[in-house]
Amino acid sequence: MMVFVFSIGMLRNYMPKKEIILVLVVAFLIGAIGGAFFLEPIYEELPAMASMVEKNVPGNEETLYLDLSSSTDITELKENLSATEGFISFKETSITIPLWKFNEREMKYFNSVIGNINSHFKDYNVTEDGKIEIAIEENYSSYDALKSFSDWYKLVYGDTLSYAQIHAELVVSSASLDTFEHDLLERGIVASNQSGPVQDTLNNTNSSMIPNTHFILITGAFGVVVALIGIYYESFGVFTRKFKKFMREKRKR
């Protein structure tokens, strides 16, 4: 397409001067259309191509942060994942228990008692919207943590918990990331967050890219530049020949 634009520019001597503006407009449109339909799809794939390089660097690891339903069989999930090539570790980190919107008195009460329910509760946070987030010690299971809280809750409130969420961290080899993401997706699990060289590369590449509309405008402007080169190509050739002749004559003197 740029060859076509260049060729149009070279026809300047055969068209009225006022038509040059039309040539530049056409060159911009052709450049923009070419950018939108041919170059933009390639441009959009740059983050994926950059992350592919990181996936194939030996030793790179990626961490997937999983939010799982309390009904998930964590033991079976861990065994299945650990049997997959590229598995590094699986760690249950915390649980979230949604209750009801707390008033000030209830907030104070839960904040005062949660730390005494179980010595394996490493830290906790009670929010006004009724969520209790409890971080658990390493190597302590989320099942035991939930059972402990559920037993206390039933004793105090005479009711059972209807739902809770388990948070876990899955560390895998970057080269096997696609395999683990596929296996998790088949179970209806999608990582809520991800960290590691692959994700860093994706984030850095995305942040450095300009919006698609700007990219298309740049390709249009490039078309105008190519057209201008075509328009003044002959003049530039004449100038080059005169300059070379001048230099030869200067050397003879």
Side-chain angles (χ1 to χ4, degrees):
M1 295 179 75
M2 290 300 101
V3 172
F4 176 68
V5 170
F6 181 79
S7 301
I8 293 177
M10 292 190 69
L11 297 175
R12 178 182 68 91
N13 294 333
Y14 305 98
M15 63 179 71
K17 287 186 176 180
K18 62 181 181 180
E19 298 296 334
I20 293 178
I21 300 298
L22 179 60
V23 170
L24 296 178
V25 171
V26 171
F28 178 83
L29 291 175
I30 291 175
I33 292 171
F37 287 95
F38 299 104
L39 297 180
E40 186 182 5
I42 298 174
Y43 183 69
E44 290 178 340
E45 289 298 317
L46 285 179
M49 289 187 287
S51 65
M52 187 63 67
V53 175
E54 290 294 342
K55 287 181 181 179
N56 291 286
V57 174
N60 275 358
E61 298 178 359
E62 209 73 12
T63 302
L64 301 176
Y65 300 90
L66 309 179
D67 297 330
L68 309 168
S69 168
S70 55
S71 61
T72 303
D73 188 337
I74 301 295
T75 302
E76 187 274 333
L77 175 63
K78 184 176 180 179
E79 289 176 352
N80 182 274
L81 293 173
S82 62
T84 305
E85 183 179 356
F87 173 85
I88 296 175
S89 67
F90 180 89
K91 179 174 65 175
E92 300 162 64
T93 58
S94 62
I95 57 175
T96 297
I97 304 165
L99 295 177
W100 61 87
K101 189 172 183 179
F102 299 142
N103 57 38
E104 187 176 346
R105 181 178 60 82
E106 290 169 330
M107 283 275 293
K108 288 181 179 179
Y109 174 69
F110 278 106
N111 273 312
S112 66
V113 301
I114 291 177
N116 300 319
I117 294 174
N118 190 320
S119 61
H120 295 287
F121 289 177
K122 188 170 62 175
D123 195 10
Y124 61 90
N125 181 46
V126 181
T127 62
E128 290 185 358
D129 61 353
K131 287 183 180 178
I132 298 176
E133 301 169 353
I134 303 173
I136 57 179
E137 291 181 349
E138 193 170 351
N139 299 322
Y140 188 68
S141 74
S142 58
Y143 172 83
D144 292 333
L146 282 171
K147 186 177 185 307
S148 177
F149 185 90
S150 180
D151 290 344
W152 171 84
Y153 184 78
K154 188 170 184 179
L155 180 65
V156 175
Y157 290 93
D159 199 2
T160 57
L161 298 177
S162 58
Y163 177 77
Q165 203 172 47
I166 299 167
H167 307 288
E169 295 178 5
L170 172 64
V171 182
V172 302
S173 166
S174 296
S176 303
L177 179 61
D178 292 341
T179 301
F180 282 94
E181 287 181 333
H182 179 267
D183 290 348
L184 290 170
L185 188 59
E186 285 193 332
R187 294 170 172 267
I189 301 171
V190 178
S192 60
N193 204 352
Q194 179 180 326
S195 65
V198 174
Q199 189 62 38
D200 290 344
T201 300
L202 279 171
N203 293 340
N204 292 336
T205 305
N206 281 322
S207 63
S208 64
M209 293 174 68
I210 59 175
N212 290 349
T213 52
H214 293 180
F215 178 77
I216 293 171
L217 290 175
I218 289 173
T219 58
F222 181 73
V224 173
V225 172
V226 172
L228 287 172
I229 293 173
I231 290 171
Y232 295 104
Y233 179 76
E234 188 174 336
S235 300
F236 179 75
V238 172
F239 171 78
T240 303
R241 289 193 294 272
K242 287 182 177 180
F243 180 75
K244 288 181 178 178
K245 183 179 179 181
F246 170 77
M247 291 303 292
R248 285 196 300 268
E249 289 177 353
K250 188 174 180 181
R251 289 194 194 98
K252 288 179 181 178
R253 293 174 189 169

